[in-house]
Coordinates of all heavy atoms in Angstrom, one line a residue:
R1168 N -20.8 -1.5 4.9 CA -22.3 -1.3 4.9 C -23.1 -2.4 5.4 O -24.3 -2.2 5.8 CB -22.7 -1.0 3.4 CG -22.1 0.3 2.9 CD -22.4 0.5 1.4 NE -21.6 1.6 0.9 CZ -22.2 2.8 0.7 NH1 -23.4 3.0 1.0 NH2 -21.4 3.8 0.2
S1169 N -22.5 -3.6 5.6 CA -23.3 -4.8 6.1 C -23.0 -5.0 7.6 O -23.7 -5.9 8.2 CB -22.9 -6.0 5.3 OG -21.6 -6.5 5.7
L1170 N -22.1 -4.3 8.2 CA -21.8 -4.6 9.6 C -22.8 -4.1 10.6 O -23.0 -4.8 11.7 CB -20.4 -4.0 10.0 CG -19.2 -4.6 9.3 CD1 -17.9 -3.8 9.6 CD2 -19.1 -6.1 9.8
H1171 N -23.5 -3.1 10.3 CA -24.6 -2.6 11.2 C -24.1 -2.4 12.6 O -24.9 -2.8 13.6 CB -25.8 -3.4 11.1 CG -26.3 -3.6 9.7 ND1 -26.8 -2.6 8.9 CD2 -26.3 -4.7 8.9 CE1 -27.1 -3.0 7.7 NE2 -26.8 -4.3 7.7
G1172 N -22.9 -2.0 12.9 CA -22.4 -1.7 14.2 C -21.9 -2.9 14.9 O -21.4 -2.8 16.1
S1173 N -21.8 -4.1 14.3 CA -21.3 -5.3 15.0 C -19.8 -5.3 15.0 O -19.2 -6.1 15.9 CB -21.8 -6.6 14.3 OG -21.3 -6.6 12.9
A1174 N -19.2 -4.5 14.2 CA -17.7 -4.4 14.2 C -17.4 -3.1 13.5 O -18.3 -2.4 12.9 CB -17.1 -5.6 13.4
S1175 N -16.1 -2.7 13.5 CA -15.7 -1.5 12.9 C -14.6 -1.7 11.8 O -13.8 -2.7 12.0 CB -15.1 -0.5 13.9 OG -16.1 -0.2 14.9
I1176 N -14.6 -0.9 10.8 CA -13.5 -0.9 9.8 C -12.9 0.5 9.9 O -13.6 1.5 9.9 CB -14.0 -1.1 8.4 CG1 -14.6 -2.5 8.3 CG2 -12.8 -1.0 7.4 CD1 -15.1 -2.9 6.9
V1177 N -11.6 0.6 9.9 CA -10.8 1.9 9.9 C -9.8 1.7 8.8 O -9.0 0.8 8.8 CB -10.2 2.2 11.3 CG1 -9.4 3.5 11.2 CG2 -11.2 2.2 12.4
G1178 N -9.8 2.7 7.9 CA -8.7 2.7 6.9 C -7.6 3.5 7.3 O -7.8 4.5 8.0
V1179 N -6.4 3.2 6.9 CA -5.2 4.0 7.2 C -4.4 4.1 5.9 O -3.8 3.1 5.4 CB -4.3 3.4 8.3 CG1 -3.0 4.2 8.5 CG2 -5.0 3.2 9.6
D1180 N -4.4 5.3 5.4 CA -3.6 5.6 4.2 C -2.2 5.7 4.5 O -1.8 6.5 5.4 CB -4.1 6.9 3.6 CG -3.3 7.4 2.4 OD1 -3.0 6.6 1.5 OD2 -2.8 8.5 2.4
W1181 N -1.4 5.0 3.9 CA 0.1 4.8 4.3 C 1.0 5.5 3.3 O 1.0 5.2 2.1 CB 0.4 3.3 4.4 CG 1.8 3.1 4.9 CD1 2.2 3.3 6.2 CD2 2.9 2.6 4.2 NE1 3.5 2.9 6.3 CE2 4.0 2.5 5.1 CE3 3.1 2.3 2.9 CZ2 5.2 2.1 4.7 CZ3 4.4 1.9 2.5 CH2 5.4 1.8 3.4
T1182 N 1.7 6.5 3.7 CA 2.7 7.3 3.0 C 2.3 7.8 1.6 O 3.1 7.9 0.7 CB 4.0 6.5 2.9 OG1 3.8 5.4 2.0 CG2 4.5 6.0 4.2
D1183 N 1.1 8.2 1.5 CA 0.5 8.7 0.2 C 0.6 10.3 0.2 O 0.6 10.9 1.3 CB -1.0 8.4 0.2 CG -1.3 7.6 -1.1 OD1 -0.6 7.6 -2.1 OD2 -2.4 7.0 -1.1
G1184 N 0.5 10.8 -1.0 CA 0.3 12.3 -1.1 C -1.2 12.5 -0.7 O -2.0 11.7 -1.0
L1185 N -1.4 13.7 -0.1 CA -2.8 14.0 0.3 C -3.8 14.0 -0.8 O -4.9 13.5 -0.7 CB -2.7 15.4 1.1 CG -4.1 15.8 1.7 CD1 -4.6 14.8 2.7 CD2 -3.9 17.2 2.4
D1186 N -3.4 14.6 -1.9 CA -4.4 14.7 -3.0 C -4.7 13.3 -3.6 O -5.8 13.0 -3.9 CB -3.8 15.6 -4.2 CG -3.8 17.1 -3.8 OD1 -4.5 17.4 -2.8 OD2 -3.0 17.8 -4.4
S1187 N -3.7 12.5 -3.7 CA -3.9 11.1 -4.2 C -4.7 10.3 -3.2 O -5.6 9.5 -3.7 CB -2.5 10.4 -4.3 OG -1.7 11.0 -5.3
A1188 N -4.5 10.5 -1.9 CA -5.3 9.8 -0.9 C -6.8 10.2 -1.0 O -7.7 9.4 -1.0 CB -4.8 10.0 0.5
R1189 N -7.0 11.5 -1.1 CA -8.4 12.0 -1.2 C -9.1 11.5 -2.5 O -10.3 11.2 -2.5 CB -8.4 13.5 -1.1 CG -8.1 14.0 0.3 CD -8.2 15.5 0.4 NE -8.1 15.9 1.8 CZ -7.6 17.1 2.1 NH1 -7.2 18.0 1.2 NH2 -7.5 17.4 3.4
A1190 N -8.4 11.5 -3.6 CA -8.9 11.0 -4.9 C -9.3 9.5 -4.8 O -10.3 9.1 -5.3 CB -7.9 11.2 -6.0
F1191 N -8.5 8.7 -4.1 CA -8.7 7.3 -3.9 C -10.0 7.1 -3.1 O -10.9 6.3 -3.5 CB -7.5 6.7 -3.2 CG -7.6 5.2 -3.0 CD1 -7.1 4.3 -4.0 CD2 -8.2 4.6 -1.9 CE1 -7.2 2.9 -3.8 CE2 -8.3 3.2 -1.7 CZ -7.8 2.4 -2.7
I1192 N -10.1 7.9 -2.1 CA -11.3 7.8 -1.2 C -12.6 8.2 -2.0 O -13.6 7.5 -1.9 CB -11.1 8.7 0.0 CG1 -10.1 8.1 1.0 CG2 -12.5 9.0 0.8 CD1 -9.6 9.0 2.1
R1193 N -12.5 9.2 -2.8 CA -13.7 9.6 -3.6 C -14.0 8.6 -4.6 O -15.2 8.2 -4.8 CB -13.4 11.0 -4.3 CG -13.6 12.2 -3.5 CD -13.6 13.5 -4.3 NE -12.5 13.6 -5.2 CZ -11.3 14.1 -4.8 NH1 -11.1 14.5 -3.6 NH2 -10.3 14.2 -5.6
E1194 N -13.0 8.1 -5.3 CA -13.2 7.1 -6.4 C -13.9 5.8 -5.8 O -14.7 5.2 -6.5 CB -11.8 6.7 -7.0 CG -11.8 5.6 -8.0 CD -10.5 5.2 -8.5 OE1 -9.5 6.0 -8.2 OE2 -10.4 4.2 -9.1
H1195 N -13.5 5.4 -4.6 CA -14.1 4.2 -4.1 C -15.2 4.4 -3.1 O -15.7 3.4 -2.4 CB -12.9 3.4 -3.4 CG -11.9 2.9 -4.4 ND1 -12.2 1.9 -5.3 CD2 -10.7 3.4 -4.7 CE1 -11.1 1.8 -6.1 NE2 -10.2 2.7 -5.8
H1196 N -15.7 5.7 -3.0 CA -16.8 6.0 -2.2 C -16.7 5.5 -0.7 O -17.6 4.9 -0.2 CB -18.1 5.5 -2.8 CG -18.3 5.8 -4.3 ND1 -18.5 7.1 -4.7 CD2 -18.1 5.1 -5.4 CE1 -18.6 7.1 -6.0 NE2 -18.3 5.9 -6.5
M1197 N -15.5 5.6 -0.2 CA -15.2 5.1 1.2 C -16.0 6.0 2.2 O -15.8 7.2 2.3 CB -13.7 5.1 1.4 CG -13.0 4.2 0.4 SD -11.2 4.4 0.3 CE -10.7 3.6 1.8
T1198 N -16.8 5.3 3.0 CA -17.6 6.0 4.0 C -17.1 5.7 5.4 O -17.5 6.3 6.4 CB -19.1 5.6 3.9 OG1 -19.2 4.2 4.1 CG2 -19.6 6.0 2.5
Y1199 N -16.3 4.7 5.6 CA -15.8 4.3 7.0 C -14.7 5.3 7.3 O -14.1 5.9 6.4 CB -15.5 2.9 7.1 CG -14.5 2.3 6.0 CD1 -13.1 2.5 6.2 CD2 -15.0 1.7 4.9 CE1 -12.3 2.0 5.2 CE2 -14.2 1.2 3.9 CZ -12.8 1.4 4.1 OH -11.9 0.9 3.1
P1200 N -14.4 5.4 8.6 CA -13.3 6.3 9.0 C -12.0 6.0 8.3 O -11.6 4.8 8.2 CB -13.2 6.2 10.5 CG -14.5 5.6 10.9 CD -15.0 4.8 9.7
D1201 N -11.3 7.0 7.8 CA -10.0 6.8 7.2 C -9.0 7.8 7.8 O -9.3 9.0 7.9 CB -10.0 7.0 5.7 CG -10.0 5.7 5.0 OD1 -9.0 5.1 4.9 OD2 -11.1 5.3 4.5

């Protein structure tokens, strides 16, 4: 939220179940590309 386009963050969920990954993203309000 503080980068304002100066850099990028990309998350990569590694070997997770799809439901668990989606729940983690919702729980942590992740807005950057994953």
Side-chain angles (χ1 to χ4, degrees):
R1168 292 173 191 260
S1169 73
L1170 290 174
H1171 307 293
S1173 64
S1175 298
I1176 297 178
V1177 177
V1179 178
D1180 173 50
W1181 187 72
T1182 68
D1183 236 341
L1185 184 57
D1186 291 340
S1187 298
R1189 287 182 173 154
F1191 184 91
I1192 288 167
R1193 277 192 310 275
E1194 177 184 344
H1195 296 287
H1196 311 287
M1197 296 164 80
T1198 60
Y1199 51 87
D1201 259 284

